[in-house]
Amino acid sequence: MLLLKNCTAVELFPASVNHATDIVIADGKILALGENLTALYPQAEVREMNGKLVMPGLVCAHNHFYSGLSRGVMTPIGPCPDFISTLKNLWWRLDRALDEESLYYSGVICSLEAIRNGCTAVIDHHASPAFIQGSLAVLREAFMDVGLRGMTCFETTDRNGGQAELLAGIKENCDFAQLIDREKRQNPQRYLVEAHIGAHAPFTVPDIGLEHLAAACEETGRGLHIHVAEDRYDVSHSHDKYGLDPLVRLDKFGLLSEKTLIAHGLWLSPQEIELLNQHNAFLVHNARSNMNNHVGYNSHLPAVKWAALGTDGIGSDMLEELKFAWFKHRDAGGAAGTDKFLQMLYNGNVLLERNFGQPFGCLAAGYTADLAIFDYAAPTPLCAENLAGHLAFGMSSSAVDSVYVAGRAVYQDRAFTLDVAPLYEKACAAAQKMWRRMATL
């Protein structure tokens, strides 16, 4: 049992700030909150917070941990004047160069850096066409070794190996979901990683693939995680080949549900937004990635019922992502306030609740004790009414002091609870080998 004493307890949505609060944690959950709880829980280990901000951990709702060793990549890369050439010349070469070693260290480094930035959970979307079978178990091992909560899935596609590749991706998704089900039954205390059923994007998945994906979702009880309308090409391809908007095409196969995660969705039609909302499906906005890939701006965010924030592989700094999402919205003439984006940051917890079947995102008895602690000295009063302003214009991940996942410290007093230096050294060596493989592809 742990008692965090004298916290500034912060919740993102509905926004709240409560000073001089004690938080008691036991068995991975919040047991109690209140003032001066030490006498009520004399057996608890007490950690004095001295007014530090304690909030539910941040959630990155769409990421690509397989890209973790791409930073500063040194290998010949052809010109990338548009989104499709960027995929072909960079990312689809990188994912084909991944092997078990490089994938593991990519997952480890991304997990470490997510935690350092105050993330307690990351929803991942994976691709490694030369290493499909068992790849998700390797990623799960990376999550577990670091102590990060997460979800992952395999990016089903036929872009490299036709139907054989497509079927292998489906099988990997189903096998991994079954592995997770066994773990939940046999060792629920180690249940930190969940599964989606993954697919790359509608333009690389034919109808037969959508049929298999729908069957996999039904068989496993999971939802689909897929990029849709990230670029105009996805829409024009769907119109040309199938005569349908891409989201309408997914719905034709029964692939939209409250567990569905649609990444990007920049070029969805108003009818598709309505369809998304009817199914209570999630759209995850990735502002920095959209800007980096020059694919446009998602102007219909205010119309989306369930929207969250992700990074699409550009790290896991969710406070940075919040800022970019807000500033780009303002730059595009958007009328939504900072509170809208604060709610989007919070909504990653709703995604976790739908998939893990346990409560996240609030500082209340019975909620999962995934917590981020910030050493933030507010230069002006901090209250519920101006919390969004503090996060958008003041706080940053440099203020992260400690992180707890399921009540266990994985980062404390600005230091990891495991020796990370050897992990970075091995990751650097694995990256260089992967870059050399990329050069041959």
Side-chain angles (χ1 to χ4, degrees):
M1 183 178 292
L2 175 68
L3 192 153
L4 303 177
K5 186 164 185 60
N6 192 25
C7 309
T8 300
V10 173
E11 295 187 10
L12 299 179
F13 182 80
S16 68
V17 178
N18 291 291
H19 300 275
T21 300
D22 293 351
I23 302 174
V24 182
I25 299 168
D27 298 323
K29 296 185 179 298
I30 296 173
L31 181 62
L33 285 87
E35 295 184 9
N36 302 315
L37 296 181
T38 310
L40 293 178
Y41 298 93
Q43 71 276 37
E45 173 192 351
V46 177
R47 187 177 175 213
E48 174 61 52
M49 291 289 98
N50 294 309
K52 291 184 178 72
L53 275 59
V54 179
M55 66 174 68
L58 304 177
V59 179
C60 177
H62 175 71
N63 206 327
H64 294 292
F65 273 15
Y66 74 81
S67 68
L69 302 185
S70 68
R71 192 182 308 170
V73 59
M74 296 174 66
T75 196
I77 296 172
C80 300
D82 55 32
F83 179 64
I84 298 301
S85 61
T86 300
L87 290 177
K88 291 180 177 179
N89 295 339
L90 174 58
W91 298 116
W92 291 354
R93 287 172 62 206
L94 183 146
D95 65 30
R96 296 202 310 275
L98 284 165
D99 61 7
E100 182 172 352
E101 178 192 39
S102 53
L103 176 57
Y104 173 75
Y105 284 107
S106 186
V108 164
I109 295 306
C110 287
S111 295
L112 289 170
E113 297 195 347
I115 287 169
R116 186 185 285 118
N117 288 318
C119 271
T120 52
V122 171
I123 300 177
D124 180 58
H125 194 249
H126 174 61
S128 55
F131 173 45
I132 298 177
Q133 185 177 0
S135 59
L136 298 181
V138 170
L139 272 172
R140 174 189 168 279
E141 183 181 359
F143 274 92
M144 297 293 293
D145 287 350
V146 174
L148 179 68
R149 186 184 301 278
M151 298 183 65
T152 191
C153 61
F154 194 88
E155 197 178 87
T156 301
T157 180
D158 71 350
R159 67 175 180 256
N160 300 293
Q163 190 167 0
E165 178 190 24
L166 187 149
L167 293 176
I170 296 285
K171 185 176 187 302
E172 177 62 9
N173 279 298
C174 291
D175 288 350
F176 184 67
Q178 291 164 7
L179 182 154
I180 297 301
D181 287 341
R182 290 194 299 272
E183 169 125 314
K184 283 192 288 186
R185 291 192 300 267
Q186 297 169 5
N187 194 357
Q189 295 303 314
R190 284 177 54 81
Y191 176 47
L192 284 182
V193 181
E194 249 298 347
H196 269 129
I197 301 299
H200 169 243
F203 74 90
T204 69
V205 183
D207 279 355
I208 187 64
L210 296 186
E211 289 182 16
H212 285 298
L213 287 165
C217 289
E218 183 175 0
E219 174 188 333
T220 64
R222 268 64 176 198
L224 180 70
H225 185 170
I226 185 171
H227 304 104
V228 179
E230 181 176 2
D231 182 76
R232 290 180 188 270
Y233 179 81
D234 196 18
V235 179
S236 61
H237 180 277
S238 188
H239 289 169
D240 179 51
K241 298 295 183 182
Y242 305 102
L244 297 170
D245 285 338
L247 214 59
V248 173
R249 182 171 165 241
L250 294 185
D251 187 48
K252 175 183 172 183
F253 289 90
L255 285 165
L256 299 183
S257 74
E258 68 169 12
K259 289 187 176 182
T260 301
L261 193 165
I262 301 298
H264 300 288
L266 273 73
W267 302 106
L268 297 178
S269 67
Q271 293 75 24
E272 288 175 287
I273 296 296
E274 184 177 349
L275 192 61
L276 189 81
N277 291 342
Q278 287 173 0
H279 288 279
N280 284 315
F282 256 92
L283 185 145
V284 178
H285 180 53
N286 307 271
R288 288 183 294 166
S289 174
N290 295 340
M291 295 165 70
N292 181 55
N293 288 323
H294 191 52
V295 290
Y297 177 65
N298 195 331
S299 60
H300 47 235
L301 281 174
V304 177
K305 182 177 180 181
W306 291 106
L309 296 178
T311 64
D312 198 41
I314 303 182
S316 298
D317 189 335
M318 296 313 296
L319 293 185
E320 187 82 345
E321 198 67 36
L322 172 73
K323 292 175 171 65
F324 271 81
W326 161 244
F327 295 140
K328 182 61 182 177
H329 180 74
R330 289 286 291 166
D331 181 60
T338 49
D339 55 335
K340 167 68 175 178
F341 292 87
L342 197 62
Q343 183 177 356
M344 288 168 64
L345 183 60
Y346 161 81
N347 278 346
N349 290 286
V350 179
L351 266 167
L352 294 183
E353 287 187 336
R354 291 181 181 183
N355 289 280
F356 278 85
Q358 60 193 73
F360 292 89
C362 294
L363 300 179
Y367 275 76
T368 306
D370 288 4
L371 306 173
I373 300 173
F374 291 80
D375 190 2
Y376 172 66
T380 60
L382 174 65
C383 57
E385 291 76 12
N386 67 9
L387 176 62
H390 277 274
L391 266 66
F393 296 97
M395 285 180 63
S396 74
S397 59
S398 65
V400 176
D401 175 86
S402 302
V403 174
Y404 288 80
V405 177
R408 184 174 74 89
V410 292
Y411 187 71
Q412 188 159 305
D413 298 327
R414 299 180 182 270
F416 287 101
T417 54
L418 70 164
D419 185 7
V420 301
L423 298 173
Y424 275 84
E425 291 176 6
K426 291 176 181 177
C428 189
Q432 293 178 75
K433 287 187 281 186
M434 186 185 75
W435 294 353
R436 287 195 291 269
R437 290 193 297 274
M438 284 183 67
T440 68
L441 297 174

